[in-house]
Amino acid sequence: MDKTFMAAAAASLVAATALVACAGMGDGRPPEPPFTVKVIGFNDYHGHLESPGSLGENASVPDARRPPVGGAEFMAAHVANLKKQNPLSVVVGAGDFIGASPLISALFFDEPAVETLNRIGVEFNAVGNHEFDKGPAELLRLQNGGCKVTSGQIDPNSCRGASVGTPVPFEGARFSWLSANVVSADTGKTLLPAYGIKTFNKVKVAFIGMTLQATPTIVAPSGVAGLEFRDEARTVNALIPELRAQGIESIVVLVHEGGLQTGTLSDINGCEGKLAGSAIAGIVRQLDDAVDVVISGHTHAAYNCKLPNAAGRDISVTSASAFGRVLTDIDLSIDPATRNVRGVTATNRLVVRNDPAISADTAVAGIVSAYKALVLPLSRRVIGSITADVPVRRVDGACNMPAGNLIADAQLAATQPARLGNAAIAFMNGGGVRSPGFTFASSPAGEGDGNMTYGEAFTVQPFGNSLVTLSLTARQLKDFLEEQFAGCLGQSASATRFALPSAGFKYTWDGARACGARISRVTLRSGSGTETIVDASGALPDPSKSYRVTVNSFMADGGDGYATLTRGTDRLGGAQDIDALAAYMADYKAPKTPYAPNSHPADAGTPRISRAGASATCPSGANVNP
């Protein structure tokens, strides 16, 4: 036989044997079967160390049957329970783990939030917009550790580990904040890593983290100075080749942007309306087919969806409510040969506190208890009383909000004196008024029905903004009201944002009219007289007349898209917003008459905001006239 032929045949046999070995385990065995990785996700923790109350799996569950949920010690316990089901696991977040936090975390610069998240076991978290509330330097401190320095000294409310059983100095986050689409305007480099990688059975899984591109419109300009926020989908798609060059085919996106179900059931595992028209649906629709799962947040909603990507393939898109109420339990089936995700199963699960099979994590419970003891004297102080609930919800189609009205009145009272601003009007941004509003029923602190504590007030108004009084002309005042509507005068195209006015200021809006012509009948009552600022036709009798207007520092610097406020003149700084509220409520503290919502004499028994037409729905997104 020809030697050349024999050599070729031998080489072919060797190559074939090698192929069989590569396809199997190197010993003739068949290929490895797919294995499962458990991804445990949540979002919008907002420093809620304690339970935010109860929650049902959907809106049909009666209040009496809704279990108590949340609390850091039970989040840790439920995460541990899920991990027991599969040692191949990872805990991830979709942003807003800090900021807009209750007093128990905010008073201590959200170090308690980070310390509890460390012990819950978080490994990767996308930056949310609230991560930028105090600016990038403070975010980096929370990532890297170290004490908060105020006026050259360690702040007394920082590094309290000796009192609560955590390391001193503050340990920093053991998890990685990720910011793929947040870059330095000077260097073009990301503020934090763009993605994190974890290896399971020799297969790498990538987690890309991002915040919403619109972050600069909802965060004080000082918090995002020098940063660029880039398009979410383009950022992800640009990273795919880089990840594939590292042999990564399993990709999870963590993004602080979301949507809402449009039905009435609001099941935590539902997807009513397919998040139609939402920002997150638009992002997913542009994503490369390499992305396997999207874990989202921002809207504080729970949903479990399958939405189409750029290739038309439906992928899993989830969100886990907010405040630690829900965890998303995701099983990824991964092919070890191709390193691809072959299947995704996602389930949203309530973080119940009354399951006898799940006991609270004692170490985390101890930290929560210790911080609670530190903050208790301040949080339990009664600052005033109310006759009924003062809700944070928009109570009518015109978008009035009783809790926002109360805060606006407090801010006007704090700046009306000539030496403090000589204000005639105040406005409060609706997004700065947090759930649950001011509730009549006694809190767990036991202050008694109708009494408002400092802790409750701080929960509703947790940002620590200062008051700013500035001068606006009648024309600028109308422009400010017009730019509340999505896409109008520079407002975000996807957000309609109604501010809440102080007593005596009224206006009417008509969403059916064109941008710039929606506001009419703007009046201001002072003393026994009422002045018309904008008449019924939308005209201004005296467009150059000046008015002293109070807003918080977030709004004054153009937050929530209120660019007109940045052009206000003769600025004068004032008290912190929470201090103004506490001082105002002192006039309603026993034995004085309690505060009664919708009863201010300057309102003369009619709403501050009116609407042309009969719709009962207050718009909040791109649709300005639902």
Side-chain angles (χ1 to χ4, degrees):
M1 185 176 290
D2 185 88
K3 291 183 179 180
T4 302
F5 172 80
M6 292 177 64
S12 297
L13 179 61
V14 171
T17 303
L19 286 173
V20 171
C22 288
M25 297 296 293
D27 57 2
R29 287 188 294 169
E32 291 182 75
F35 64 90
T36 300
V37 169
K38 186 174 291 294
V39 179
I40 304 164
F42 62 103
N43 53 276
D44 296 274
Y45 179 58
H46 286 292
H48 272 69
L49 278 62
E50 298 181 282
S51 169
S54 60
L55 184 69
E57 290 194 350
N58 56 58
S60 70
V61 178
D63 287 349
R65 291 176 51 198
R66 296 181 181 184
V69 296
E73 74 276 27
F74 277 97
M75 290 184 70
H78 279 268
V79 166
N81 185 59
L82 289 172
K83 284 183 172 181
K84 286 179 182 177
Q85 299 172 20
N86 185 351
L88 302 179
S89 61
V90 59
V91 185
V92 299
D96 275 9
F97 275 5
I98 60 172
S101 306
L103 193 62
I104 191 173
S105 185
L107 183 64
F108 307 103
F109 306 103
D110 272 325
E111 292 170 15
V114 173
E115 290 168 337
T116 53
L117 289 165
N118 285 344
R119 287 150 184 82
I120 288 168
V122 176
E123 295 175 61
F124 305 111
N125 177 43
V127 288
N129 55 284
H130 281 291
E131 265 85 359
F132 294 99
D133 281 347
K134 306 300 183 184
E138 177 64 359
L139 172 57
L140 292 174
R141 183 187 74 85
L142 291 174
Q143 173 71 84
N144 299 321
C147 301
K148 174 74 172 179
V149 175
T150 303
S151 301
Q153 302 291 327
I154 294 177
D155 194 287
N157 287 327
S158 179
C159 288
R160 298 303 300 269
S163 300
V164 302
T166 57
V168 179
F170 167 62
E171 65 194 8
R174 298 175 187 167
F175 55 90
S176 296
W177 262 296
L178 307 173
S179 64
N181 67 327
V182 184
V183 301
S184 165
D186 292 333
T187 67
K189 295 180 179 180
T190 59
L191 175 68
L192 291 155
Y195 54 84
I197 297 170
K198 187 168 183 178
T199 302
F200 304 92
N201 289 348
K202 300 181 180 179
V203 175
K204 297 177 180 178
V205 179
F207 300 87
I208 302 173
M210 299 181 296
T211 189
L212 67 160
Q213 187 181 13
T215 292
T217 70
I218 53 176
V219 171
S222 59
V224 294
L227 298 175
E228 293 179 0
F229 291 75
R230 297 179 175 174
D231 181 271
E232 303 94 338
R234 291 176 186 169
T235 298
V236 170
N237 294 345
L239 287 169
I240 299 303
E242 179 179 329
L243 295 174
R244 281 182 161 160
Q246 300 176 61
I248 298 172
E249 298 291 342
S250 299
I251 300 172
V252 178
V253 168
L254 313 173
V255 56
H256 191 70
E257 181 60 287
L260 297 167
Q261 297 190 54
T262 56
T264 58
L265 187 59
S266 297
D267 192 286
I268 64 171
N269 281 296
C271 190
E272 295 174 275
K274 302 284 285 185
L275 311 186
S278 69
I280 191 62
I283 292 168
V284 173
R285 196 179 300 117
Q286 301 173 66
L287 289 180
D288 189 288
D289 199 34
V291 174
D292 299 295
V293 178
V294 175
I295 298 174
S296 64
H298 186 53
T299 57
H300 292 196
Y303 47 79
N304 189 355
C305 295
K306 294 283 188 178
L307 300 180
N309 65 8
R313 179 173 69 93
D314 282 349
I315 63 173
S316 185
V317 181
T318 68
S319 180
S321 184
F323 309 150
R325 299 182 182 110
V326 175
L327 292 172
T328 305
D329 176 8
I330 303 173
D331 287 330
L332 306 181
S333 176
I334 298 177
D335 185 328
T338 66
R339 304 179 302 283
N340 279 310
V341 172
R342 294 182 53 174
V344 179
T345 303
T347 307
N348 278 332
R349 305 186 187 280
L350 294 179
V351 181
V352 298
R353 298 174 61 87
N354 59 357
D355 183 344
I358 297 180
S359 300
D361 182 292
T362 55
V364 177
I367 293 171
V368 174
S369 178
Y371 273 117
K372 185 174 181 178
L374 289 176
V375 81
L376 207 55
L378 176 59
S379 66
R380 280 187 171 177
R381 178 166 61 87
V382 173
I383 61 173
S385 58
I386 55 179
T387 61
D389 284 350
V390 187
V392 72
R393 71 179 184 278
R394 303 287 184 166
V395 294
D396 54 29
C399 302
N400 286 283
M401 181 203 292
N405 289 352
L406 169 54
I407 292 172
D409 289 347
Q411 296 183 355
L412 178 61
T415 54
Q416 270 184 321
R419 63 184 180 82
L420 297 177
N422 200 30
I425 311 162
F427 293 97
M428 178 62 190
N429 60 312
V433 189
R434 312 300 283 193
S435 295
F438 305 102
T439 56
F440 179 80
S442 178
S443 74
E447 76 280 0
D449 290 350
N451 287 318
M452 181 191 299
T453 66
Y454 185 88
E456 290 176 304
F458 192 94
T459 296
V460 178
Q461 198 172 13
F463 296 103
N465 290 314
S466 58
L467 303 187
V468 178
T469 304
L470 45 83
S471 293
L472 296 177
T473 64
R475 166 61 64 188
Q476 289 173 322
L477 195 52
K478 183 176 187 293
D479 287 347
F480 160 66
L481 296 174
E482 293 282 357
E483 70 189 1
Q484 297 177 119
F485 299 94
C488 190
L489 303 185
Q491 181 57 263
S492 167
S494 61
T496 296
R497 298 178 170 126
F498 285 96
L500 292 312
S502 55
F505 185 89
K506 296 180 183 291
Y507 71 93
T508 298
W509 63 272
D510 185 349
R513 299 181 68 86
C515 170
R518 293 181 176 129
I519 298 297
S520 64
R521 295 184 174 86
V522 180
T523 60
L524 176 61
R525 183 175 181 178
S526 56
S528 59
T530 299
E531 175 185 358
T532 296
I533 302 174
V534 182
D535 66 20
S537 70
L540 294 96
D542 189 354
S544 62
K545 184 172 180 179
S546 182
Y547 298 86
R548 295 292 284 167
V549 178
T550 295
V551 293
N552 60 46
S553 52
F554 167 74
M555 298 173 69
D557 289 341
D560 273 355
Y562 300 135
T564 297
L565 297 178
T566 66
R567 296 189 284 276
T569 59
D570 299 322
R571 289 187 170 211
L572 180 66
Q576 275 208 327
D577 49 12
I578 185 65
D579 294 336
L581 178 59
Y584 185 73
M585 289 307 300
D587 287 336
Y588 298 97
K589 185 177 179 180
K592 297 177 181 177
T593 303
Y595 174 88
N598 305 317
S599 65
H600 199 291
D603 290 333
T606 59
R608 301 178 187 183
I609 308 175
S610 298
R611 179 178 181 179
S615 175
T617 302
C618 171
S620 59
N623 186 354
V624 301
N625 194 39

